[in-house]
Amino acid sequence: PVRDVRVLERTDGTKVSERFIRCDDAEFALVSRVTAGLPVTDHINVFLVTPLHPGCRVTWWGRGEPDESGRVPGDWLPADHRQALIALRDHLEDQ
């Protein structure tokens, strides 16, 4: 990130900007808000890592409202994004 903003470039070349709201190393939490690049408003992402013995649980959830275009996430969330999340889950479960 640059200061509290990072720009993600997706495989299709589009860029998504997000602003970090909270990054708490002690609580293993990251909260961010998409500010550009996706058709959403009032957006928030929350990543939490919960230590388990052994291992950990990674939880990610997001919330947002469609912008004036009315496109819902199923219309614009790329298939490779879902595949990447599944690959991350599988990788972490194998650790």
Side-chain angles (χ1 to χ4, degrees):
V2 176
R3 297 185 187 243
D4 61 346
V5 174
R6 76 173 171 178
V7 177
L8 307 169
E9 185 168 350
R10 296 170 31 179
T11 57
D12 66 1
T14 60
K15 293 182 180 181
V16 177
S17 297
E18 68 179 332
R19 178 172 301 280
F20 293 117
I21 298 169
R22 180 173 173 232
C23 184
D24 189 325
D25 291 337
E27 293 194 23
F28 307 107
L30 175 65
V31 180
S32 65
R33 180 177 309 275
V34 169
T35 58
L38 295 178
V40 295
T41 62
D42 299 323
H43 180 270
I44 193 164
N45 272 321
V46 177
F47 291 89
L48 302 171
V49 178
T50 306
L52 302 173
H53 302 285
C56 65
R57 176 184 303 122
V58 178
T59 304
W60 170 48
W61 64 267
R63 184 195 73 209
E65 295 295 323
D67 68 4
E68 66 278 351
S69 72
R71 295 173 58 206
V72 295
D75 294 341
W76 54 261
L77 188 65
D80 60 345
H81 188 98
R82 178 173 168 69
Q83 292 168 348
L85 291 172
I86 290 169
L88 175 61
R89 179 200 64 198
D90 293 347
H91 171 76
L92 293 172
E93 287 178 348
D94 288 344
Q95 299 303 309

